């Protein structure tokens, strides 16, 4: 099984772990940012990490029964596709419409069991939106698999969460951000 240090080294080696002054999708500010798009530029690295995530999910949730992997667009699409490929099951995604995630292109069967796949979770808003969509359409969320849990244990869901890397970079409320006070340029590297 891949260690946390090996996962972190892959993020650093691909330039996917950035240092600076960033506004996260959650609205918080941080001195570190996981730009998974840089890691995903290398399909072999993406496949290796997603296979490691599947291995960890199977090890931690041995009795897990799933039918489909679902992911929030954009960041989770590649992760979800690779996780589903590794599991040999169906993959679908939810996407933004009017700045809200929606199920547009796919159907969910009553009782269909899902793993939600995502790249990075800070507060877990997009994962929770995806859970709500699955449940509103009659599906069941059996587990959540993510590459990086940067919530420090604060992102809690009704389904078990499995991540390859648990790390809690420092985050700041924008009204009390020392990086802002120091005049460091604020960067918005992710999708909003």
């Amino acid at each position: 099984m891949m260690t946390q240090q090996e996962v972190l080294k892959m993020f650093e080696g691909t330039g996917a772990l950035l240092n600076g002054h960033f506004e996260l999708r959650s609205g918080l500010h941080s001195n570190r940012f996981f730009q998974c798009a840089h890691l995903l530029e290398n399909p072999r690295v993406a496949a290796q990490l997603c296979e490691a995530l599947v291995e960890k999910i199977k090890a931690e949730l041995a009795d897990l029964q799933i039918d489909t992997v679902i992911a929030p667009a954009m960041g989770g699409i590649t992760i979800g596709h690779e996780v589903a490929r590794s599991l040999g099951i169906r993959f679908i995604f939810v996407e933004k419409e009017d700045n809200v995630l929606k199920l547009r292109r796919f159907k969910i069967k009553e009782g269909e069991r899902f793993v939600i796949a995502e790249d990075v979770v800070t507060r877990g808003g997009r994962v929770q939106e995806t859970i709500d969509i699955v449940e509103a359409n009659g599906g069941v969320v059996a587990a959540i698999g993510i590459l990086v849990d940067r919530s420090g244990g604060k992102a809690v869901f009704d389904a078990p969460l499995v991540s390859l890397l648990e790390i809690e970079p420092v985050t700041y409320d924008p009204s009390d951000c020392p990086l802002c006070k120091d005049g460091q340029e604020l960067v918005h590297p992710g999708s909003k």
Side-chain angles (χ1 to χ4, degrees):
M1 188 151 334
M2 193 176 285
T3 68
Q4 299 236 348
Q5 282 66 34
E6 290 170 325
V7 174
L8 188 58
K9 188 174 181 179
M10 291 177 87
F11 273 89
E12 292 170 339
T14 58
L17 178 55
L18 308 174
N19 293 298
H21 181 200
F22 306 101
E23 181 179 33
L24 308 176
R25 184 181 305 124
S26 64
L28 299 173
H29 291 195
S30 182
N31 64 339
R32 297 178 99 184
F33 185 83
F34 286 90
Q35 181 60 276
C36 288
H38 292 306
L39 183 132
L40 299 174
E41 288 177 310
N42 184 329
R44 290 184 193 270
V45 171
Q48 187 178 0
L49 284 173
C50 291
E51 286 170 7
L53 179 58
V54 167
E55 182 181 328
K56 189 170 182 182
I57 290 169
K58 286 179 176 180
E60 290 188 13
L61 306 172
D63 296 331
L64 182 67
Q65 294 181 4
I66 51 170
D67 304 304
T68 305
V69 175
I70 188 169
M74 282 292 299
I77 288 182
T78 302
I79 308 304
H81 188 270
E82 283 295 317
V83 166
R85 184 195 57 75
S86 182
L87 289 167
I89 60 175
R90 176 177 178 236
F91 167 68
I92 64 174
F93 58 88
V94 291
E95 57 196 298
K96 279 188 182 179
E97 183 178 276
D98 300 323
N99 214 24
V100 177
L101 287 178
K102 297 199 176 178
L103 183 67
R104 294 183 50 216
R105 304 168 197 257
F106 309 99
K107 300 283 185 219
I108 291 175
K109 295 177 191 161
E110 189 70 33
E112 190 172 1
R113 298 165 300 200
F114 286 86
V115 167
I116 296 175
E118 178 66 300
D119 54 1
V120 179
V121 168
T122 301
R123 288 189 172 168
R126 289 168 50 94
V127 169
Q128 188 59 56
E129 281 184 80
T130 306
I131 290 169
D132 295 344
I133 290 167
V134 168
E135 291 175 348
N137 284 277
V140 176
V141 176
I144 300 152
I146 58 174
L147 295 183
V148 180
D149 178 359
R150 59 173 281 149
S151 76
K154 295 177 189 104
V156 178
F157 309 99
D158 289 337
L161 173 70
V162 177
S163 65
L164 279 183
L165 179 63
E166 287 103 28
I167 189 167
E168 189 177 8
V170 177
T171 57
Y172 306 102
D173 186 278
S175 64
D176 192 34
C177 176
L179 304 171
C180 289
K181 290 175 184 169
D182 287 345
Q184 292 185 32
E185 180 183 356
L186 183 64
V187 179
H188 308 273
S191 62
K192 297 240 358 141

